[in-house]
Amino acid sequence: MSWRGAGKKSAVFFTCVLFVAAFISLYSRSLHEGTFVKNLLVASETTPRLFTNLDETLNYGSRPAVQTRTSWNAPIMWELMFDANFYDQKHHELNTSVAVTVFAVGRYLEAYLNTFLISAEKHFMLGFPVTYYVFTDLPGNVTKITLAPQRKLKIIQVERYSRWQDISMMRMKLISEVIEKELRYSFSHVFCFDVDQEFKGRFGSEALGDSVAMLHAHFYKLPKNRFTYDRNPKSKAYMSEGDYYYHAAIFGGKCQNVKTLADFCYLNIMEDKMNNVEALWHDESHLNKYFWLHKPTKLLSPEYCWDMLIGDTSDILIKRVLWAPKQYEKLRI
């Protein structure tokens, strides 16, 4: 036999060995994976699910006159869409706890804080552990109120800026700091509120989500070309288009997600300051930019933040939070 013939036979033999080895390897792996999948199926049948995606239980067709879901399938929460008891039960099973941040600086403390806190105790996340973090320049003027079990109030002293616009914008920095230092270790969720609001109806666990935005009551029915985004290309808040117009009076979510939002807004606000630019609606303009780039996983309908000056209430079956009457000439001095 020539050396070429021997070489061919050796090559064929070697190829066959490799093929057999590969076949054995694949067969063994398929047996292992089959056993793994079988065990996984058995485990899923015998072990109860710890958590149901609650938003999958929503009745999106219950409110045909309004939009109940975004183009990216995030729910827009309206009355009649959800089973409140079911949401509460599941969040109790998860040991959900909620922090609230609210800023009561200058005359806002005397004008609004007590109403905000007392009404929250009647309607906000009832039955869940809640801690209110009140940021104020006048900690000695915060009136003590009676809190339900598992509810606490903490006061954080802050600087009072000369302009209300600076107070509004700098809150993002303070929210980020308190989340990093404390909230992320103790709470599953955080909501950030303007103080000049009053709770009037249930604001419960159905509002919780990974990243929660608030539809602005004055804009939710308007065409997009009427939205008051920042149109200045020099600002980091500049937007030429968007999905909705969001209200910065209420936003929330998982602690880390809210921190990410606050960091985004604060850094962009500071970059604008270095360029002598101020966004049209300050932190709200930057918040809208954030939610345009990073879609919220849940939107709250205007039921959760309603202005009584709006005449058309046809969509509003329940007013959960109301804007307080504004007295800018007295408060913003």
Side-chain angles (χ1 to χ4, degrees):
M1 179 183 297
S2 69
W3 64 270
R4 288 178 179 171
K8 284 184 178 180
K9 286 189 175 183
S10 297
V12 170
F13 176 76
F14 183 68
T15 302
C16 290
V17 170
L18 287 178
F19 177 78
V20 171
F23 177 79
I24 292 172
S25 174
L26 288 171
Y27 181 71
S28 300
R29 189 166 66 180
S30 67
L31 285 176
H32 172 75
E33 289 177 350
T35 303
F36 173 77
V37 171
K38 183 178 180 181
N39 290 338
L40 185 62
L41 291 173
V42 170
S44 67
E45 291 173 358
T46 58
T47 304
R49 293 178 66 186
L50 294 178
F51 182 63
T52 300
N53 183 350
L54 296 176
D55 294 341
E56 291 178 356
T57 70
L58 293 171
N59 184 354
Y60 290 99
S62 63
R63 298 293 301 272
V66 295
Q67 186 181 2
T68 57
R69 186 153 35 189
T70 69
S71 61
W72 60 94
N73 287 326
I76 304 174
M77 303 299 290
W78 295 88
E79 177 70 357
L80 303 182
M81 285 178 58
F82 58 90
D83 182 333
N85 292 330
F86 183 70
Y87 264 85
D88 286 350
Q89 174 192 336
K90 292 301 180 183
H91 276 286
H92 280 303
E93 291 174 5
L94 291 167
N95 296 317
T96 293
S97 56
V98 184
V100 171
T101 69
V102 61
F103 286 72
V105 178
R107 298 185 181 183
Y108 275 75
L109 188 156
E110 181 182 350
Y112 298 120
L113 182 61
N114 271 13
T115 298
F116 176 90
L117 292 173
I118 291 170
S119 65
E121 280 298 283
K122 295 178 181 178
H123 301 290
F124 181 76
M125 301 291 167
L126 299 187
F128 290 94
V130 171
T131 298
Y132 304 98
Y133 286 80
V134 176
F135 295 78
T136 181
D137 58 327
L138 301 168
N141 291 0
V142 176
T143 304
K144 291 184 178 180
I145 65 167
T146 301
L147 300 173
Q150 300 187 84
R151 320 271 284 200
K152 299 177 182 178
L153 187 150
K154 293 192 175 184
I155 301 170
I156 299 176
Q157 185 167 4
V158 296
E159 176 184 354
R160 181 180 180 183
Y161 292 89
S162 58
R163 300 188 317 140
W164 68 265
Q165 294 93 335
D166 291 324
I167 297 170
S168 176
M169 290 188 290
M170 292 304 291
R171 71 170 176 158
M172 291 298 184
K173 174 178 180 289
L174 297 170
I175 288 170
S176 174
E177 289 176 349
V178 74
I179 291 174
E180 176 63 26
K181 293 177 182 177
E182 184 168 345
L183 304 193
R184 68 190 184 98
Y185 300 105
S186 305
F187 301 93
S188 57
H189 298 77
V190 57
F191 264 102
C192 307
F193 286 91
D194 280 356
V195 71
D196 50 347
Q197 303 180 94
E198 182 176 359
F199 293 85
K200 290 291 189 178
R202 172 189 167 94
F203 195 121
S205 59
E206 76 283 349
L208 297 169
D210 288 349
S211 176
V212 182
M214 177 75 235
L215 287 183
H216 200 297
H218 282 268
F219 294 95
Y220 83 102
K221 279 189 170 183
L222 295 182
K224 291 183 178 182
N225 61 4
R226 299 276 301 278
F227 294 173
T228 55
Y229 297 138
D230 191 290
R231 308 292 185 179
N232 179 7
K234 294 181 180 179
S235 172
K236 294 292 290 183
Y238 168 74
M239 294 175 65
S240 60
E241 58 179 330
D243 302 306
Y244 302 93
Y245 191 83
Y246 301 110
H247 197 175
I250 301 175
F251 60 94
K254 295 287 184 68
C255 288
Q256 185 55 50
N257 293 335
V258 176
K259 183 181 186 305
T260 299
L261 181 158
D263 288 340
F264 174 93
C265 293
Y266 173 64
L267 291 174
N268 285 339
I269 287 168
M270 295 310 295
E271 186 169 338
D272 273 1
K273 280 184 173 292
M274 288 189 293
N275 294 324
N276 294 316
V277 176
E278 194 167 280
L280 178 63
W281 291 110
H282 316 107
D283 58 338
E284 184 168 273
S285 296
H286 291 281
L287 177 139
N288 270 272
K289 180 66 170 287
Y290 177 85
F291 280 135
W292 165 239
L293 298 175
H294 309 278
K295 310 298 188 193
T297 62
K298 178 171 285 185
L299 281 64
L300 302 182
S301 74
E303 293 174 347
Y304 288 82
C305 189
W306 186 250
D307 184 357
M308 291 298 289
L309 296 178
I310 300 174
D312 182 4
T313 60
S314 57
D315 295 332
I316 310 302
L317 301 185
I318 178 172
K319 302 177 183 71
R320 304 180 188 278
V321 175
L322 292 180
W323 299 17
K326 302 297 188 289
Q327 303 177 52
Y328 294 133
E329 69 283 356
K330 294 182 180 180
L331 295 167
R332 293 178 173 176
I333 298 174

